[in-house]
Amino acid sequence: MARKRVIYQSEALYVSATGNNAIASKLTRVQSINYGFDIPRQDVNEFGKLARIDQVILESPTVSLDYSYYITTGENEDLIGFAVTGGLSAMTNMLNGTEDVKNYYIATVPEGSDEVGYNRVTNSFTGSTQAGVIGLGNMSVTSYSVEAAVGGFPTASVNCEGLNIRFENSATGTAPTVNQVDGTSVGDTYYLPGNTGVSETASNPSALRPGDVTLVFDNNNDDTMMRGVDVSELKLQSANISLDLGREDLLRLGNKFAFSKEVDYPVTVSMSAEAMLSDTKEFDLSDVLCSDTGKYDAYIKINLPQCVGTSEAIRFTIKQAQLDSEAISSSIGDNKNISFNFTSQVGGPEDTTAGLFILPPQS
């Protein structure tokens, strides 16, 4: 009997390295998955004929993937290639090329079954129209953002671009990785775990809460980072960190695909936030032109959901950040609000003083 529909119950998102026999790991707390491909074609026309005589694929197809998940303690960030150490830039593994290119797999199990706990060994995908694996090959992260707001769970969103998409009906099969010279399959194999197990672990909270989120500017010791505003009196409503990694396709004659998708530098990381405004401090904008020396560390700290103690689940830090803008709004019926934006540039793999840093759980 044909499947009637596919819902979130039966799907999961996996990621792996691009090598042969790579074992994929499941991303947890995933909330949405969107993917597709675009085939750029160019018309071939000639004098004497109105309609085109052909439509040729002149550039390699682009596969896109975007997904979101609830932030926990950094396991997902580590799997997709970020350095989750706190001491190194989060971009280190992508900048040095060791974790820049990944394969993703969307696994689907038979209708009515939970993907979590489904045993792929005793319930083979092979030959079944009720299950399958969609592989996305040669994928690189193009943007990453973190958002925390009152009334919602802290959430991360990721966008990726790649070169190939492949549909399989087996938990073990041909990986979607392609040869970037001629566009053919490399022939590597992938492997999804035989039993996905449960999604709750002792070290991984079900979700982090907005009540455990704190936005800190240099430990609040210097209010000059927020011009004219008393930082300690801000009633934070939302905070967002975003990192855009524009990719440049490096092409050459003889290659059907871009032989590399390199990061387009410089890379800017930004932090924006909105808060209810209360107390202000003395400030004259014209003074900034004479003494704009402020570069600060700002971070979003999220604690574990504990009633006793303040153990950190994860921390996102922007180092060498500078204030770019402030905007204040006030209207009848609403609280007076302030929104502001900070930016910093990502440094090299060995640069520990600038860019985005992700710190794992701390007690």
Side-chain angles (χ1 to χ4, degrees), residues 158-239:
V158 184
N159 289 278
C160 303
E161 283 187 2
L163 300 178
N164 191 35
I165 184 168
R166 184 183 182 94
F167 293 75
E168 291 273 352
N169 287 322
S170 175
T172 301
T174 303
T177 317
V178 295
N179 185 311
Q180 293 174 287
V181 175
D182 56 17
T184 60
S185 173
V186 172
D188 291 342
T189 58
Y190 69 87
Y191 175 75
L192 301 187
N195 190 317
T196 62
V198 295
S199 60
E200 311 298 334
T201 63
S203 61
N204 210 13
S206 58
L208 303 180
R209 305 176 300 189
D212 295 314
V213 178
T214 306
L215 179 60
V216 180
F217 304 101
D218 268 14
N219 297 318
N220 289 337
N221 290 327
D222 194 335
D223 287 330
T224 58
M225 187 170 190
M226 290 290 295
R227 307 292 184 173
V229 178
D230 189 340
V231 173
S232 62
E233 293 299 322
L234 284 176
K235 282 73 175 177
L236 189 67
Q237 301 299 297
S238 65

Side-chain angles (χ1 to χ4, degrees), residues 37-339:
F37 59 88
D38 176 57
I39 304 175
R41 300 177 184 270
Q42 185 164 321
D43 293 345
V44 180
N45 297 90
E46 67 176 357
F47 275 71
K49 185 175 176 58
L50 182 62
R52 65 191 178 206
I53 61 174
D54 201 356
Q55 196 176 28
V56 177
I57 300 175
L58 199 59
E59 300 176 10
S60 60
T62 299
V63 177
S64 61
L65 166 70
D66 64 81
Y67 57 94
S68 64
Y69 56 86
Y70 291 151
I71 296 168
T72 55
T73 54
E75 286 88 347
N76 284 353
E77 283 75 11
D78 181 64
L79 289 173
I80 64 180
F82 288 105
V84 184
T85 66
L88 296 174
S89 168
M91 292 289 300
T92 294
N93 297 333
M94 294 184 182
L95 295 178
N96 62 26
T98 60
E99 297 280 345
D100 190 33
V101 182
K102 298 281 188 176
N103 286 343
Y104 285 85
Y105 302 92
I106 298 95
T108 307
V109 300
E111 187 174 7
S113 297
D114 284 353
E115 197 281 336
V116 173
Y118 186 84
N119 195 317
R120 307 186 202 282
V121 176
T122 59
N123 303 279
S124 175
F125 283 170
T126 305
S128 172
T129 59
Q130 293 287 305
V133 177
I134 300 173
L136 308 176
N138 305 77
M139 304 296 291
S140 298
V141 173
T142 56
S143 71
Y144 171 79
S145 64
V146 172
E147 182 176 10
V150 172
F153 297 118
T155 303
S157 299
V158 184
N159 289 278
C160 303
E161 283 187 2
L163 300 178
N164 191 35
I165 184 168
R166 184 183 182 94
F167 293 75
E168 291 273 352
N169 287 322
S170 175
T172 301
T174 303
T177 317
V178 295
N179 185 311
Q180 293 174 287
V181 175
D182 56 17
T184 60
S185 173
V186 172
D188 291 342
T189 58
Y190 69 87
Y191 175 75
L192 301 187
N195 190 317
T196 62
V198 295
S199 60
E200 311 298 334
T201 63
S203 61
N204 210 13
S206 58
L208 303 180
R209 305 176 300 189
D212 295 314
V213 178
T214 306
L215 179 60
V216 180
F217 304 101
D218 268 14
N219 297 318
N220 289 337
N221 290 327
D222 194 335
D223 287 330
T224 58
M225 187 170 190
M226 290 290 295
R227 307 292 184 173
V229 178
D230 189 340
V231 173
S232 62
E233 293 299 322
L234 284 176
K235 282 73 175 177
L236 189 67
Q237 301 299 297
S238 65
N240 176 281
I241 290 178
S242 61
L243 176 71
D244 290 325
L245 297 171
R247 297 282 176 165
E248 180 185 2
D249 289 343
L250 300 184
L251 305 169
R252 62 188 175 194
L253 294 178
N255 280 42
K256 294 184 182 299
F257 286 78
F259 65 87
S260 184
K261 285 181 174 287
E262 293 299 312
V263 176
D264 191 8
Y265 298 104
V267 174
T268 299
V269 55
S270 63
M271 173 188 285
S272 59
E274 183 173 330
M276 289 190 294
L277 183 63
S278 53
D279 295 333
T280 59
K281 304 178 77 69
E282 291 185 0
F283 167 65
D284 189 335
L285 181 60
S286 63
D287 293 339
V288 176
L289 301 178
C290 300
S291 58
D292 184 24
T293 58
K295 289 186 179 180
Y296 306 89
D297 294 350
Y299 60 86
I300 296 175
K301 178 180 69 174
I302 310 177
N303 290 333
L304 290 168
Q306 301 169 333
C307 294
V308 179
T310 56
S311 298
E312 288 186 22
I314 195 167
R315 179 186 296 197
F316 300 91
T317 302
I318 294 181
K319 294 188 177 183
Q320 297 291 294
Q322 289 183 293
L323 179 65
D324 286 341
S325 66
E326 282 184 17
I328 299 172
S329 62
S330 181
S331 61
I332 294 175
D334 292 328
N335 298 311
K336 191 171 186 175
N337 291 329
I338 181 171
S339 58

